[in-house]
Amino acid sequence: MISIPILLPMLAATLGYFFLRKDEEKYYLLTLITNIVVFGLCIILAISSNQVFNIEKIVGLGIHLELDGFRKVYCLIISFMWMMTMLLSYDYFKHHHNLSRYYFFNLFTEGATLGVFLASDLYTALVFFEIMSFTSFPWVIQEETEGAIKAANTYLAVAVIGGLTALFGLFVINQELGTLTLNELLPRAQVCNNKAILYVAGSCILFGFGAKAGMFPLHIWLPKAHPVAPAPASSLLSGILTKSGIWGILAISVNIFKNDIAWGNVILILGTITMFLGALLALFSIDLKRTLACSSMSQVGFILVAIGMMLLLGNENALASRGAILHMMNHSLFKLVLFMAAGVVYMNVHKLDLNEVKGFGRNKPFLMICFLLAAAGIAGIPGLNGYISKTLIHEAIVEGLVEYSYLKLIEWIFLISGGLTLAYMTKLFICVFIKKNDNFVEKKKYMSITSYIALGVSAIILPIFGLTANKSMMSIADVAMDFFKGATLEHQLHFYSLENLKGGIISIVIGILVYVLIVNKFMIKDDKYIDLWPSKLDLEDLIYRPLLLKWLPNIFGSISRIFAENIITKKIYEYALKVSGIISSIFADNIVTSLIYKYSLRVTGIISRAVNDSLDFVVLVLRRTIYKDNLVPTTNDVENSISYKIGSIIDKIKNDKKHTNAIKAYDVDNTIVYSTHRLVDSLSFALFAMILAIVITFVYVFLIH
C-alpha cells in the first residue's frame, strides 16, 4: 500500500505520454484525477497503522520505505498541494504550449517527492531526490524564454553538484557506520570514534540537501527559478521541494548528530544568515514572484534555526522540534496560497513587475482576502497559523539563553527578520490591492470556478489552524515527533499570553517602522517602486560561475599541461643526461662502464619517450571518440557571417562577382574561432583528466579499505 502513491503518478504519466500527449485537455483530466486519487490514498495511509516496504537488490542497495507520523503528515500536505495547484492549472495554462510535457513531469515529480519523504534510509531518499531534481527541471524551463533557460541551467547545475556531493557523503557514512538506515544510524554514530569523518560526511550531505532547501550560500537557484517557472510549479518548488531538502538535513541531524552542540551551531548560524538575507532580498525585490521566492529562502532559514535549537537544547527540545515541523507545514501552506494568487495576477496581466501589476487586486475581495490571510500568516500575525510556529521557535531560543548567552544576538536577528517579513508582505499587499491604476480595465471574471476552489480551500485552512492551535496544530506536531526525536511537551502552551505575544508584537512594530521609514521613503519614488539592490551582488555571477568556468579550469588546465607536455619528466631527463655525462667522463676509458652507460641511456630514453607519448595517446583516442574534432566550417556555410557580409561589401566595391574577399575574411575569422574552440576543448580535457584522476583515487581508497 505504501508504494502505490509513489508508483501511481509515474504510471499515469507514462500512460498519458503514450496515449494522450496530443490531446492536452484529456491529459490534464488524467493528471487531475491522478492527483485526487493520490490524495485519497494518502488520507487512507494517514489513518492506517505504521508500516514498512522493502524491495531488495534493486538500484544497488534496494528501495526501503517506511510510514510513520511525520511521513503521514507530509504525504497529506504533498498530495493536497499537488491537487490544488492542478485545479489552478486549468486557468493558468489556457494559452500555454507544451502542456503534455508539463503534466508528464508534474506527475513524475509527485511520485518522486513522495518517495523522498517515505524513504527509510538515506540511499532510497537520494535515489528519489535525484529523480525529483531532474523531473522538476522542465518546470523551470517550461516557458523556454531566455531567462527560463538560464535559471533552469542554474537549477540543474546546483541539483547535479549537490546530488553528487551528497552521494559522496553517503559513501563515507556507509563505510564508517555500516548502514544508511535511519533507525540504525544513531546508536552506531554515538559509539563511532572517528567523529571527524562523520562531520566531513555530514557536511557533504548538508551541502546536497541544503542546496535544494535554498540554504545560504547555495540559494542561488531559488530567486531565479521561481519568477520564470509557471505559478503552479512555483507553489510546489517553494512549498514542497525545498522541504525535501529540509528532510535530508533533519534526517542526518537527528539520526547522526543528535544533541551535538558543534553541529547544532553550524545549522543555527547557516539558518540565521539564510533567514535574514532572504528577508532582506525580498524587501528589495520589485518582482512579485521573486519577492515570494526570496521569502521562501527566509522561511527556510526560520526552520533551520529551529533545527539548530533542537540540537542545542538536547533532551529539552520539545518547543524547538514542534516549531520546526509546524513551520515546515505552515510555510508549505503559505506558499501554496501566495504563489497561486500571484499566478492569478500573472495570467491576467502577464507581468510580474510591481509597477506593472500595481492595483490589479482592487475591487477583487476574494483574491484580496486569500492573499491577506497568507501574507499575515507568514508575517506571524496573531490569530493565524504562522504566529504559532514562530512563537514556538522564539520561545525555544529564549529557553536556550539560559545556557548559551550568544543566542541573544540570534533572538534579535530572528525578531528583525520577522519584522522584515511583515514589511515586504505589506509592500506586496498595498501594491497589488490598495494602489490605484487606471490602466486596468475591470473584468468581472478574472478566474474560473476551479481557481476559486483551489485558492479558497487552501486559504481557509490558515485561520482554522491558527485559532484552534492546541487542538489541531499541536496534535499534528505530536504525531510527527517520532521522526524528529522530539521531547514530550509537559504542559499545554498559552500562545496568547502576554509573555508569548511579546515576541510577535516586537516583530510587528519593527515591520511597521521598516515599511514607513525605509520602504515608503526610499524604495518608492513618485509612486514607482525602485530596485535599489546592486545587480553585481549576485553570488552566481560574482563567485560560482567564475569559479567553475574560469578559475578551476585555469588551475587544473595548468596542472594538466605540466603532465601533458611532460615538463617534469623532461627536466628529469635533462638532469639524468648531465649526471650520465659526468659519470661517463669519469669512466670514459672503461669498456664495461661505457657499455652500461650506453644501454642505460637508451633504456632511459625509451622510458622517457613512453611517458612523454602516453598522455598524447590518450588525447588522440579521446579526440577520435568522445572529443571528436570539429573541422573548420567550409566556405559554403557563410550565410549569416558578419565577416562574410563585410567581405561582400568590399567585393561589390571592386565589382568582383566571385566574392573572394568575403570567403577570405570568413576563413580567417573561422580559423580564429576554431583556434579558440580548440583552447576551450583543451580546458575541457583538463577537467576530464581531473575527474578521471579523482575517480581512480576513490577506487584506490575503497580497495584499500
Side-chain angles (χ1 to χ4, degrees):
M1 180 67 181
I2 188 175
S3 62
I4 296 176
I6 298 172
L7 297 175
L8 180 61
M10 295 181 175
L11 178 62
T14 306
L15 292 174
Y17 176 79
F18 282 111
F19 298 108
L20 300 176
R21 70 177 181 274
K22 292 183 180 179
D23 191 337
E24 292 179 340
E25 284 205 8
K26 288 183 179 177
Y27 206 163
Y28 167 77
L29 285 174
L30 173 67
T31 306
L32 178 60
I33 291 169
T34 304
N35 293 152
I36 294 170
V37 171
V38 170
F39 179 62
L41 289 171
C42 288
I43 292 176
I44 294 172
L45 287 179
I47 60 177
S48 62
S49 58
N50 294 354
Q51 54 188 279
V52 295
F53 176 83
N54 300 309
I55 303 179
E56 303 298 340
K57 297 180 180 179
I58 185 173
V59 291
L61 300 180
I63 297 296
H64 307 281
L65 307 174
E66 182 180 356
L67 184 67
D68 60 13
F70 170 70
R71 293 174 170 94
K72 290 177 182 178
V73 170
Y74 245 89
C75 282
L76 277 174
I77 293 172
I78 291 167
S79 56
F80 174 76
M81 288 185 65
W82 242 271
M83 181 175 63
M84 291 295 108
T85 54
M86 191 49 59
L87 281 174
L88 182 81
S89 296
Y90 180 77
D91 259 3
Y92 189 88
F93 287 121
K94 271 185 179 177
H95 305 293
H96 285 239
H97 61 286
N98 290 327
L99 296 184
S100 293
R101 178 180 69 191
Y102 177 79
Y103 300 142
F104 175 84
F105 286 109
N106 178 281
L107 288 170
F108 243 97
T109 307
E110 181 179 21
T113 307
L114 286 166
V116 173
F117 281 86
L118 287 169
S120 63
D121 65 78
L122 291 172
Y123 179 75
T124 301
L126 189 66
V127 169
F128 284 114
F129 187 80
E130 289 302 283
I131 295 172
M132 179 192 72
S133 295
F134 284 105
T135 55
S136 58
F137 163 78
W139 292 359
V140 183
I141 208 170
Q142 173 68 21
E143 302 294 343
E144 297 181 8
T145 61
E146 184 179 346
I149 292 169
K150 184 178 179 181
N153 288 337
T154 300
Y155 177 78
L156 189 61
V158 172
V160 170
I161 294 171
L164 289 174
T165 306
L167 180 61
F168 180 71
L170 297 196
F171 286 155
V172 177
I173 291 291
N174 193 47
Q175 174 69 23
E176 197 66 31
L177 300 183
T179 185
L180 291 174
T181 302
L182 295 180
N183 294 334
E184 297 174 1
L185 286 173
L186 185 58
R188 300 191 187 195
Q190 288 175 334
V191 297
C192 178
N193 295 321
N194 194 354
K195 295 294 183 184
I197 197 67
L198 292 183
Y199 285 130
V200 171
S203 298
C204 290
I205 299 170
L206 176 64
F207 183 100
F209 284 95
K212 184 67 70 186
M215 179 187 74
F216 174 86
L218 308 168
H219 64 281
I220 56 171
W221 67 271
L222 204 147
K224 297 177 181 180
H226 286 63
V228 298
S234 295
S235 294
L236 299 174
L237 282 166
S238 174
I240 293 298
L241 267 65
T242 55
K243 304 309 175 300
S244 68
I246 294 292
W247 183 96
I249 296 171
L250 268 169
I252 61 170
S253 294
V254 301
N255 292 295
I256 298 178
F257 301 107
K258 188 176 187 295
N259 301 345
D260 190 305
I261 304 301
W263 186 261
N265 279 319
V266 168
I267 301 294
L268 182 66
I269 291 168
L270 290 173
T272 302
I273 297 171
T274 305
M275 173 179 67
F276 179 76
L277 181 60
L280 195 64
L281 289 170
L283 188 71
F284 276 84
S285 172
I286 62 167
D287 181 288
L288 178 58
K289 284 175 67 180
R290 178 182 167 84
T291 304
L292 296 179
C294 295
S295 168
S296 294
M297 174 186 169
S298 180
Q299 300 309 308
V300 163
F302 279 92
I303 298 166
L304 291 174
V305 167
I307 295 172
M309 290 307 306
M310 282 171 52
L311 302 178
L312 293 181
L313 293 172
N315 296 325
E316 305 296 326
N317 66 4
L319 295 177
S321 55
R322 283 161 179 77
I325 172 56
L326 290 180
H327 205 64
M328 281 180 70
M329 179 185 73
N330 288 339
H331 179 248
S332 294
L333 297 174
F334 295 146
K335 286 305 158 69
L336 173 64
V337 176
L338 290 170
F339 272 111
M340 287 199 298
V344 172
V345 175
Y346 182 78
M347 69 190 188
N348 283 276
V349 184
H350 303 294
K351 302 284 184 182
L352 289 171
D353 189 298
L354 294 186
N355 295 301
E356 302 285 348
V357 304
K358 181 174 59 179
F360 170 79
R362 285 178 63 85
N363 303 317
K364 296 179 178 65
F366 180 82
L367 182 64
M368 181 181 72
I369 291 170
C370 291
F371 188 93
L372 181 61
L373 287 173
I378 202 171
I381 301 298
L384 293 158
N385 53 338
Y387 166 76
I388 303 300
S389 54
K390 285 190 174 183
T391 297
L392 286 168
I393 300 171
H394 179 237
E395 291 306 308
I397 297 172
V398 172
E399 190 178 1
L401 277 170
V402 177
E403 199 166 344
Y404 309 102
S405 58
Y406 60 85
L407 289 179
K408 194 66 181 176
L409 175 62
I410 303 295
E411 181 190 13
W412 274 105
I413 297 174
F414 178 93
L415 295 173
I416 291 169
S417 299
L420 294 179
T421 306
L422 177 62
Y424 65 69
M425 280 299 165
T426 303
K427 175 183 171 182
L428 291 184
F429 182 79
I430 291 175
C431 172
V432 177
F433 297 99
I434 306 298
K435 294 276 187 181
K436 292 183 179 180
N437 191 341
D438 297 329
N439 294 328
F440 287 125
V441 178
E442 288 295 330
K443 292 193 297 184
K444 290 184 178 179
K445 188 176 181 181
Y446 58 93
M447 59 179 172
S448 70
I449 187 65
T450 56
S451 297
Y452 274 102
I453 293 171
L455 263 172
V457 172
S458 302
I460 197 65
I461 295 172
L462 309 182
I464 290 175
F465 274 165
L467 295 172
T468 62
N470 277 310
K471 290 184 178 180
S472 58
M473 295 178 69
M474 296 306 291
S475 298
I476 292 171
D478 289 338
V479 167
M481 282 302 100
D482 46 5
F483 185 87
F484 283 71
K485 293 181 170 56
T488 303
L489 193 63
E490 296 179 355
H491 55 84
Q492 183 174 326
L493 294 172
H494 302 286
F495 288 103
Y496 296 101
S497 67
L498 184 60
E499 186 65 27
N500 286 326
L501 281 168
K502 185 171 67 175
I505 292 170
I506 292 172
S507 285
I508 291 170
V509 171
I510 291 171
I512 293 170
L513 291 175
V514 168
Y515 183 81
V516 172
L517 300 178
I518 298 177
V519 175
N520 217 26
K521 286 195 172 185
F522 299 102
M523 297 181 179
I524 306 174
K525 297 287 185 182
D526 300 323
D527 206 32
K528 183 178 180 181
Y529 291 88
I530 309 296
D531 187 0
L532 298 177
W533 188 263
S535 59
K536 291 184 178 180
L537 288 181
D538 186 316
L539 275 181
E540 181 183 352
D541 294 331
L542 196 65
I543 295 177
Y544 295 135
R545 281 185 178 271
L547 177 68
L548 295 174
L549 302 179
K550 185 178 179 181
W551 302 336
L552 287 179
N554 285 342
I555 292 169
F556 289 108
S558 300
I559 295 171
S560 179
R561 178 178 168 272
I562 291 174
F563 293 99
E565 297 183 6
N566 285 295
I567 295 173
I568 294 174
T569 56
K570 183 179 178 182
K571 290 291 183 184
I572 294 172
Y573 179 62
E574 288 175 354
Y575 286 118
L577 282 179
K578 288 182 181 180
V579 172
S580 299
I582 295 169
I583 294 171
S584 178
S585 64
I586 296 172
F587 301 100
D589 296 332
N590 191 309
I591 297 173
V592 177
T593 55
S594 179
L595 287 172
I596 292 172
Y597 165 71
K598 180 179 178 181
Y599 286 105
S600 64
L601 189 62
R602 287 187 179 181
V603 171
T604 305
I606 292 169
I607 294 171
S608 179
R609 185 57 183 266
V611 173
N612 186 64
D613 292 342
S614 61
L615 201 55
D616 292 337
F617 173 73
V618 175
V619 173
L620 185 63
V621 171
L622 289 171
R623 283 175 56 187
R624 293 291 183 268
T625 54
I626 299 173
Y627 295 97
K628 291 182 179 179
D629 289 335
N630 296 317
L631 298 176
V632 178
T634 64
T635 54
N636 294 326
D637 303 323
V638 297
E639 291 85 0
N640 296 318
S641 172
I642 296 174
S643 57
Y644 177 76
K645 291 180 180 179
I646 295 171
S648 299
I649 295 169
I650 296 171
D651 291 333
K652 285 181 181 179
I653 295 171
K654 293 184 175 182
N655 295 320
D656 188 345
K657 295 182 180 179
K658 293 182 179 179
H659 297 285
T660 53
N661 286 298
I663 292 171
K664 287 179 181 178
Y666 180 81
D667 285 341
V668 170
D669 177 59
N670 275 275
T671 302
I672 295 170
V673 172
Y674 179 65
S675 300
T676 305
H677 286 177
R678 290 300 301 276
L679 176 61
V680 173
D681 288 344
S682 68
L683 294 179
S684 180
F685 170 73
L687 286 174
F688 177 83
M690 178 195 71
I691 293 167
L692 185 63
I694 292 172
V695 171
I696 293 170
T697 304
F698 285 163
V699 171
Y700 175 70
V701 169
F702 285 121
L703 285 176
I704 285 178
H705 281 290

